[in-house]
Amino acid sequence: MRYLPLTADDRAAMLAAVGASTIDDLFVDVPAEARLTGPIAGLPLQASELAVERHMAALARQNRAAGDGPFFLGAGAYRHHVPASVDHLIQRGEFLTAYTPYQPEIAQGTLQMLFEFQTQVARLFGTDVANASMYDGSTACWEAIVMARRVTKRTTALISNGLHPHYRSVARTMAKYTRDTLIESDPALEPGTDWAALAAAVTKETSCVVVQYPDILGRIDDMAALAEACQAAGALLIAVVTEPVALGLIKSPGEMGADIVVGEGQALGVGLQFGGPYVGLFACKSKYVRQMPGRLCGETVDAKGKRGYVLTLSTREQHIRREKATSNICTNAGLCALAFSIHMTLLGEAGLRQLAAINHSRAKAAATELAKVPGVSVMNDSYFNEFTLLLPAEARPVVHALAEKGVLGGVSLGRLYPDNAGLANGLVVAVTETVTEEDIAAFAAALKEVLA
Amino acid sequence: MPRFYTEEHEWVEVDGEIATVGITDFAQGQLGDIVFVEVPDTGVELTKGGDAAVVESVKAASDIYAPVDGTVTEGNSALEEDPALANSDPEGEGWFFRMTLSDKAQLDGLMDSKGYKAYCDAL
């Protein structure tokens, strides 16, 4: 396709055709105060590529990168070591530039990759079936809630107070338009989950119960009793996993009876990359597969009996069912799913278990050291690689003071729950295999100084 | 027992107060191999012309509309196990659902078998 810019005559002819005299006439609906009347202040009209690169590099240097020093941030996005081969392999043109395969069967490589990804996610989550990915964990969580509505034909969802507040917020936004009722609340700084209370609260009106595992404060609990309570009432149990590495060490939600398991796959293969793009994981029991959103690859044989891959059950999707589709998600996070899949393949089952064990032991070491800081205690009685510290002061300013000392010391609950003063002294600390003993010592020393 | 037909290629057989509904042989031929049928739950209120069931074939997914107003008394659970019944015996074992008739007068607007044959021939 050649690029041919328009002439003034071309523009005049087009404006005449639509009945406008100037291009500005096309923007009359924009209120005057919202219109730009001149150049943007502080931005030159043009600059050379070299000057732009220098300027941007200088801006980037003002950031503090995750790898610049001790780093303990988590709360739904985790810094793990991604093997160099992951980035190398996903840059093959066949993967990097492929869009969603609308003529799927000719893209056997893409389909096989997605099939392997689905297999890994289903095995990790302990479910029968997984789809070829969603946008991210929060949208996957919302899709699970509406899927439960389709299955149960009920509209009230009980949300555990341990669900990430950003996930709750996405669900709230969407529920506004679908008229689902969400029963939700903030957590308390206590070691126990609210799962027993949720089990008691499930009724014949409940479409689903949504729990996070491990939850936003790092707490871990057994969901078997809750799954039974849901089943008895005809409601579905949805488990949300934001740190899939945890499942290398703790029992999968599927094994404990969760009907739908969703999550964020960023921790494996995908870097932190400014909060996105990430990759949503979505899996469920096979009996619900027709109500599942998203793409699904299946393995079959061709006319000659050779193994081949297809997109299957596509009639659930909007390119076929239009407005009656299970979801308006037709796309998937293919490249991030590939990165996840390659990282998982490189680890293998034994490697994932080992990685999880390292994460947990580093977290234990950090919790022990940090609890020695005067006035600081660990809230959790169980955790994987993330736990909540109780500080003797508001955590938010402490986090900023730590950053001044070169330590990124966790996510304050004041940031996650700005309207809840009761949580202000809580600090969520994530400790992965990327954290060294020196990092832990530096964090403990800096925290002691800041709190002194 | 009287059997009626709709322009959407559904048949309705009335037995006393209950009507049995399915798709015609012409419809199954057009759809091709049927792989899934979603029948309505017992107790669901149906409105003439509104969605009642879904049939999926290897070629397409189609909605099945209620031919008359009424309440579902039974869905054909045999289709869950064996959706191909809708191909092999569409006007018999492959029926979709049974329902009450809120207004028998609505049947007057439907075709008889002769009328339906003429309708198909003209397509």
Side-chain angles (χ1 to χ4, degrees), chain A residues 81-92 95-96 113-114 116-118 120 265 268-270 334-348:
Chain A
H81 172 71
V82 178
S85 45
V86 173
D87 271 354
H88 182 76
L89 289 170
I90 67 170
Q91 290 189 43
R92 284 187 63 111
F95 288 128
L96 193 64
M113 178 283 280
L114 291 173
E116 302 290 352
F117 168 82
Q118 289 172 184
Q120 289 170 339
L268 288 159
V270 184
L335 197 67
C336 295
L338 175 68
F340 175 100
S341 213
I342 295 171
H343 194 175
M344 275 285 256
T345 306
L346 290 167
L347 284 167

Side-chain angles (χ1 to χ4, degrees), chain A residues 104-116:
Chain A
E105 281 69 34
I106 63 166
Q108 285 294 309
T110 300
L111 291 187
Q112 178 167 1
M113 178 283 280
L114 291 173
F115 183 80
E116 302 290 352

